[in-house]
Amino acid sequence: MLRAASLFLNRSIALNNTNMKVGRTALATAILSISTSSFYQSQAFVTRPALTQRTTTRSFVSLASAPTVAEAEETSTETKTQANPEELGEPIGEGTIVSFYRGGLVAIRVSDEVTQQTPTSRISNTGAESSTGVFGAAPTPTDASSASQGDDIIGKHVIFPNGSVGVVVAQRFPLAFVMSDMDEMDNNDGVVTVLDSFATISAGPRMVDYLGRPISDEASSQVRSDYKRPMLAPIPQIKDISLINSPLLTGTTMVDALAPIGKGQNMLVVGHDINMLRGFASDFFSTQVASGSTKLVYGLTNGQDRQKIVDQFREAGVLDQVTIVSASLTDKDEVAQAAEAVAVAATACAIGEAYALSEGDDALVMIDNIDQHKVLWDATTRVLIDIYGVDAVVQDDQNGAASSEMRAFYSSLIQRAAKYKKSRGDGSLTLTMLTTVPSMHESTNDDVYELSDFEGCSEKVKTRLDILVKKNIPLTAATLRKIDIPIPSASEGKRRFVLQHVDDLISMSDGQIWLDETLADMGQMPPLDPQRSITRVGIGADTVSRADSPAVRRVVGGLRLDLAQALSMDGAKATTASEKQIRKQRAWLLAMHQEAGNGGRGLADSCVALLAASTGALDEAIDAGNLAGTEVGNAVIQDLLNHVKQTVPDALKEINETLDMSAERKQELEDSINSFFKQS
């Protein structure tokens, strides 16, 4: 119990491991001012519009056939979801409409009686949810562990005056933000009814929308689960979770060695190129399909990329094994689109939880991506300020930083990852969340800045700049970035503001994988930055929790240190010691080099490549110029893997089955590796 409590606390404490230094106040104030101005100028925020109602379309597409998603979108229509409140649950209060966003998001002010109610929990420990469909009410709590969640109405149903049904996806007291199917609203008058029931989701169809409704006419090849979960269930309780102590292999050697992911862990994946992130995500899924035991769920928050993802998964051969929760293709206001993205992520987690709790399965949920969560949060802040004044929000929210309320908003997603105890099914939900940062190239130009451009900076920064000027070093973007001084441009300001936000997300997660743009430009694949990539599961001498596999652990001793020492020698005078260290770094990079979208490696193959680097077997190849990313370097590794497979297949099989490597098997691999290079 103490270890479980320790694990829970470790996941809640802000552990910020990046070394970015961002001036919060000045940057955040400027960015918030710019974003607020553009927000109102774009007329995204509409109060009490007089609009006409229209019918929406939803897609029903066969993923095994050839038509594009866009073509299938036109083949069928379905009217908006409407329901009788009595069919869903009991009214617990009322509210009034504050504003409407084109595409279905409605901001409402809930009455005091709603927050004074003792609401039913958003989670059931029995799993005996109603079978009345996607809008079926969640079960009545049956024990003390299903106690009231206080004033929280997130996930509850709301009935609008026209009979349309919505679901609360965010709450900023006394406002609630409700996602619905309404493209437009006739008027904002009338009373909305808040019910005591919650939207529930079950696993099954291959492709569904944010409410779990099928948008594919084919059943998934996965085992269908009739077990329903609240779409926005609260995070697991300490009594329901156990230690993370087994790996979920990604198939990307560098990740499995430097930032491994354990079953039940959450992991943030950061990068500048969403297509690269998706490529490695596809490899992750391919590796899990090869193992044949993990349920895969993909939450796609940008519906316009749906066909691209379908094609990518089909090409990788994993489409039949993945449940895709997709945002719609319909045009929405930016804030409504962000609210749908939040709902998509929640539904993907609910499906993963259904597998983990009902079948005892290991589920991998990948959210592509969580960038729009910030869009929704900032919009809720603007609404509060617009209605109640700036005093309605805390200073952190005004400055774009992470207030405790904002951290709770994100934690309701991030902390849904869990390794459940046997009493709760013994399954797990592993959550990986993609997030993007603006490219450095977007803010790089040939401008030479003057000292006057840095008037708002600290005296320390001005002193450093003055030294550069006296040495006749031009103040270019490249120079400033090398010494970590903010570039005085709007695009760079936006970039650093995003980096600040990612920094906040990192502090809430179990770890992060950072794919660095500079390393990508240098040809390293994957461009994982070992200084900024880490898993925090298992850190500490008093825990037995581990995210990595024992087999990898036995062959990567000194890896992180070797990479760090080689980096510290960049630009140093060449010596025998420095050349040896750089050779070691290049050997590791050659062993771990993998292009995105190539399907991933098995555990045993990763161990062979890493063992070859750690024992020095790759040194001669490095000296011959066979470096990572070169055609001949890639051929060396592939030929080595093929040779080991032919000579010691039983050793590889045992490693893949047990995830461990005995001393005898390790010696067999070393002998096979040495024999390969002797005959080469």
Side-chain angles (χ1 to χ4, degrees):
M1 174 60 75
L2 289 177
R3 285 174 176 160
S6 175
L7 174 64
F8 184 84
L9 290 173
N10 285 339
R11 290 173 55 170
S12 303
I13 294 174
L15 297 173
N16 191 335
N17 286 304
T18 60
N19 56 6
M20 295 178 292
K21 298 178 178 65
V22 182
R24 289 193 174 202
T25 305
L27 270 177
T29 302
I31 296 297
L32 184 61
S33 174
I34 293 172
S35 62
T36 302
S37 174
S38 61
F39 177 75
Y40 285 111
Q41 289 175 6
S42 66
Q43 296 182 345
F45 180 87
V46 183
T47 303
R48 296 187 179 277
L51 304 173
T52 58
Q53 193 78 13
R54 70 183 182 201
T55 303
T56 59
T57 61
R58 289 205 296 110
S59 61
F60 288 81
V61 54
S62 171
L63 301 185
S65 56
T68 66
V69 173
E71 293 170 341
E73 188 82 15
E74 302 175 355
T75 63
S76 180
T77 63
E78 181 175 310
T79 57
K80 297 178 178 67
T81 302
Q82 293 188 333
N84 186 329
E86 296 180 357
E87 298 175 356
L88 297 179
E90 295 295 326
I92 61 171
E94 297 178 340
T96 56
I97 297 173
V98 173
S99 58
F100 175 79
Y101 300 83
R102 177 177 52 82
L105 180 64
V106 186
I108 66 172
R109 186 194 188 284
V110 296
S111 61
D112 292 341
E113 62 181 341
V114 174
T115 58
Q116 291 170 0
Q117 292 282 336
T118 301
T120 54
S121 170
R122 284 186 283 138
I123 189 169
S124 166
N125 287 337
T126 64
E129 282 87 350
S130 166
S131 59
T132 58
V134 67
F135 280 120
T140 301
T142 57
D143 55 29
S145 64
S146 296
S148 165
Q149 300 298 313
D151 295 335
D152 193 354
I153 62 170
I154 292 178
K156 286 190 176 182
H157 290 131
V158 172
I159 306 294
F160 294 99
N162 63 4
S164 295
V165 180
V167 179
V168 178
V169 295
Q171 182 178 0
R172 304 287 299 274
F173 180 81
L175 302 181
F177 296 82
V178 185
M179 193 63 202
S180 71
D181 278 349
M182 297 183 293
D183 275 351
E184 298 178 351
M185 183 173 284
D186 291 331
N187 62 75
N188 284 355
D189 296 323
V191 175
V192 300
T193 303
V194 181
L195 305 182
D196 64 353
S197 59
F198 297 87
T200 59
I201 307 295
S202 63
R206 172 181 295 170
M207 183 182 289
V208 297
D209 68 2
Y210 75 95
L211 284 171
R213 298 170 298 197
I215 49 179
S216 166
D217 59 4
E218 289 189 48
S220 170
S221 59
Q222 302 182 64
V223 178
R224 185 182 181 93
S225 173
D226 292 327
Y227 182 93
K228 295 182 182 295
R229 286 288 292 170
M231 179 175 74
L232 286 145
I235 65 176
Q237 300 179 42
I238 294 177
K239 69 181 185 63
D240 293 326
I241 62 176
S242 60
L243 289 175
I244 297 170
N245 55 16
S246 58
L248 196 66
L249 299 171
T250 68
T252 301
T253 304
M254 192 175 293
V255 173
D256 292 333
L258 288 169
I261 302 175
K263 292 181 179 178
Q265 179 180 344
N266 64 67
M267 181 68 87
L268 193 67
V269 185
V270 187
H272 68 286
D273 184 348
I274 188 61
N275 292 322
M276 181 190 298
L277 296 179
R278 288 171 174 170
F280 286 112
S282 178
D283 292 341
F284 196 176
F285 276 13
S286 295
T287 301
Q288 293 307 310
V289 168
S291 71
S293 59
T294 304
K295 303 299 184 183
L296 306 175
V297 186
Y298 198 85
L300 180 63
T301 61
N302 183 356
Q304 301 304 317
D305 288 343
R306 188 191 299 170
Q307 188 65 49
K308 182 186 296 185
I309 294 300
V310 168
D311 292 342
Q312 181 174 330
F313 286 167
R314 179 184 288 114
E315 183 177 351
V318 301
L319 183 60
D320 289 344
Q321 304 297 323
V322 181
T323 294
I324 300 175
V325 183
S326 174
S328 65
L329 300 179
T330 56
D331 182 43
K332 286 180 169 59
D333 170 82
E334 180 187 27
V335 180
Q337 183 178 348
E340 184 183 29
V342 171
V344 164
T347 294
C349 287
I351 293 174
E353 289 170 344
Y355 283 127
L357 292 170
S358 67
E359 308 290 340
D361 290 325
D362 294 317
L364 169 59
V365 177
M366 187 166 296
I367 307 301
D368 173 11
N369 53 62
I370 64 170
D371 296 349
Q372 294 190 73
H373 280 63
K374 187 66 163 62
V375 175
L376 177 61
W377 184 258
D378 288 346
T380 65
T381 299
R382 288 190 290 263
V383 174
L384 282 172
I385 293 175
D386 184 71
I387 297 174
Y388 299 105
V390 71
D391 291 337
V393 298
V394 298
Q395 189 67 36
D396 281 341
D397 277 332
Q398 294 177 38
N399 292 339
S403 65
S404 58
E405 193 178 6
M406 175 179 162
R407 296 178 72 86
F409 171 71
Y410 276 96
S411 292
S412 65
L413 168 67
I414 295 173
Q415 299 300 338
R416 289 180 76 166
K419 174 66 178 79
Y420 291 98
K421 290 182 176 179
K422 289 185 178 180
S423 60
R424 297 290 286 130
D426 202 29
S428 67
L429 187 153
T430 304
L431 178 63
T432 54
M433 300 158 290
L434 311 185
T435 188
T436 60
V437 295
S439 169
M440 291 189 301
H441 299 308
E442 295 177 11
S443 57
T444 299
N445 52 56
D446 297 327
D447 293 342
V448 178
Y449 299 99
E450 303 292 336
L451 285 176
S452 59
D453 295 323
F454 300 87
E455 287 299 327
C457 294
S458 66
E459 290 302 319
K460 182 178 180 180
V461 169
K462 290 180 181 178
T463 300
R464 296 172 66 193
L465 292 170
D466 190 52
I467 294 173
L468 294 177
V469 172
K470 289 179 179 179
K471 292 183 177 181
N472 295 321
I473 299 176
L475 303 181
T476 62
T479 299
L480 295 171
R481 185 171 286 115
K482 285 181 180 179
I483 58 177
D484 198 29
I485 291 180
I487 300 170
S489 67
S491 57
E492 179 67 10
K494 176 183 176 182
R495 181 175 181 273
R496 294 180 71 87
F497 191 70
V498 172
L499 290 175
Q500 170 196 314
H501 174 61
V502 171
D503 216 26
D504 292 330
L505 293 178
I506 286 172
S507 71
M508 305 179 211
S509 68
D510 292 338
Q512 71 275 355
I513 297 167
W514 196 296
L515 303 184
D516 184 77
E517 184 175 8
T518 300
L519 295 177
D521 291 342
M522 294 169 59
Q524 178 180 313
M525 282 293 149
L528 183 147
D529 185 344
Q531 292 187 315
R532 291 190 288 182
S533 302
I534 194 172
T535 181
R536 283 179 281 279
V537 171
I539 291 179
D542 60 343
T543 179
V544 296
S545 182
R546 297 297 298 239
D548 57 348
S549 68
V552 169
R553 199 181 313 152
R554 299 185 193 284
V555 295
V556 296
L559 167 58
R560 194 179 291 273
L561 179 61
D562 284 340
L563 297 178
Q565 288 181 337
L567 183 64
S568 68
M569 293 179 180
D570 184 24
K573 182 179 179 180
T575 64
T576 301
S578 64
E579 290 177 351
K580 180 180 179 181
Q581 197 63 51
I582 292 174
R583 182 190 298 115
K584 193 71 172 179
Q585 175 205 36
R586 291 174 174 173
W588 283 120
L589 293 179
L590 175 59
M592 297 186 291
H593 184 87
Q594 289 173 269
E595 299 288 339
N598 282 347
R601 287 177 183 163
L603 173 61
D605 284 351
S606 289
C607 288
V608 169
L610 292 168
L611 186 60
S614 67
T615 58
L618 295 178
D619 289 354
E620 290 187 10
I622 295 299
D623 292 339
N626 304 334
L627 303 179
T630 63
E631 184 176 349
V632 65
N634 295 338
V636 168
I637 296 298
Q638 189 56 55
D639 291 345
L640 169 63
L641 297 179
N642 292 336
H643 172 80
V644 176
K645 287 177 183 178
Q646 293 175 358
T647 55
V648 286
D650 291 341
L652 300 183
K653 180 180 179 182
E654 182 177 303
I655 292 171
N656 285 328
E657 290 178 349
T658 65
L659 307 184
D660 203 349
M661 182 192 307
S662 65
E664 293 77 11
R665 292 304 192 188
K666 183 178 181 180
Q667 187 60 55
E668 288 181 34
L669 294 186
E670 287 190 36
D671 292 342
S672 179
I673 292 170
N674 291 333
S675 68
F676 170 76
F677 285 105
K678 285 180 180 179
Q679 71 181 24
S680 298

